[in-house]
Amino acid sequence: MKSRTDATPHRRRLIGLVVALPLVLAACSGSGPQTALNPEGPIGRTIDDLWELVFVIATIVFVIVQGGLLYAIWRFRARKGDDQEPKQLYGNIKLELLWTIIPVVILAALGYPIIKGIFEVRAIAEGDDVIQVQVTGHQWWWEFTYTDFVGDDGEPLVTANELFIPEDRRVNLTMSSADVIHSFWVPKLAGKRDVVPGRVTNLTLIADNPTAADSPHPGQCAEFCGLAHADMRVKVHVRTEADFNDWVAEQLTPAIVPTDGAAAAGYETFSGTCVACHRVTVSDSDGISQVGEFRTLDVDGVECTSWLAPDLTHFGSRDFFAVATFENTREHLADWLANPSDLKPMRPELNDTANGRILGMPDFGLSDDQIDNLIALLEGWE
Ligand code: CUA
């Protein structure tokens, strides 16, 4: 039979763990940039202010209730020889009213700013000054179409995973999904909003600090969407109005088809392999054209064009790649092209290109020369 003394060290260890765990986990918080507690725009600030208000009131209530509880446990503890039942308060109308009315008053006081905040945060941005961006969630990347900005070929500006917005401007994201439910979340700028296939949801972003630390603002898909969900990131770059306009002009410029050197060899591989899923807008002697496969999505009865994989026209200008997960360096790119699934969990063996179902970039068995040439091509497309 186990004696009581055998169990005690276990219990002590368990209590030690329960006490130590929150302290140890608190160390993980650090100064993570992906936080809603360090907002960089008015919508993020509205959410943060509400959080602070609720936190302060909840802390006061917690301290009063727990303090009262501990005091009662200590003050009215069972004493030796005292076997009387404590005085019962059941049915005391005054007390029942008191502890019903106090929470009602607290919740009513909190309800007003919270409901007002919900309406503010959920309002769809309207007006001539609003930047319109169509967001399409994919397994596992984000497609951004700036419908207000159209190139010489009549096609709107399309980019992936890195969203550029001007400071102090309302940006209306009109969102849908090409496959499963995702959720768009950039904690410093706004709350989460689901991105649902066959439906349209909206989210307003406003950022007011182009020189913010930890910029670009990181975000994360917040709805489990399969294998690479945890890697489905997003970055939001905030620019001054002038810098944003420069970026738009640059993005609307088509890529040049290289005619000699490594980049030209790379383009040969690119047009034979990559364009099965990726898109690029190129300019050559025949004029401007789109290269690559797209599919048409039916979103709430509206036909939308969507690409199977990110647009690469300005790949060289991006800071990151693979859903904004890896810094866009030569080494990372070489590793990625050698076998993408080594860097990001995907299921390319289940790709069904004909039906627009893409679950990742396959390993095309590229030679070292082909990889070098492709890097030369992509780095040149700035
Ligand atoms: Cu997309 Cu999780």
Side-chain angles (χ1 to χ4, degrees), residues 2 14 35 53-54 76 115 117 123 175 177 182 192 197 201 218 236 285 294 315 320-321 325 330-331 338 353 363 368:
K2 269 198 166 181
L14 190 68
T35 170
L53 178 71
V54 173
F76 302 107
I115 291 169
M175 312 194 288
S177 168
H182 304 271
K192 296 169 188 168
T201 49
V236 178
S285 48
F294 69 93
F315 181 85
F320 303 90
F321 74 99
T325 303
R330 200 159 237 285
E331 293 71 36
T353 318
D363 175 7
D368 288 349

Side-chain angles (χ1 to χ4, degrees), residues 315-328:
F315 181 85
S317 72
R318 291 191 196 142
D319 293 344
F320 303 90
F321 74 99
V323 209
T325 303
F326 298 100
E327 275 181 48
N328 190 358

Side-chain angles (χ1 to χ4, degrees), residues 138-142 180-183 220-226 228-230 232:
H138 293 261
Q139 284 173 311
W140 292 278
W141 61 284
W142 298 103
V180 299
I181 302 176
H182 304 271
S183 179
Q220 166 75 47
C221 175
E223 179 78 37
F224 181 69
C225 55
H229 156 71
M232 190 164 167

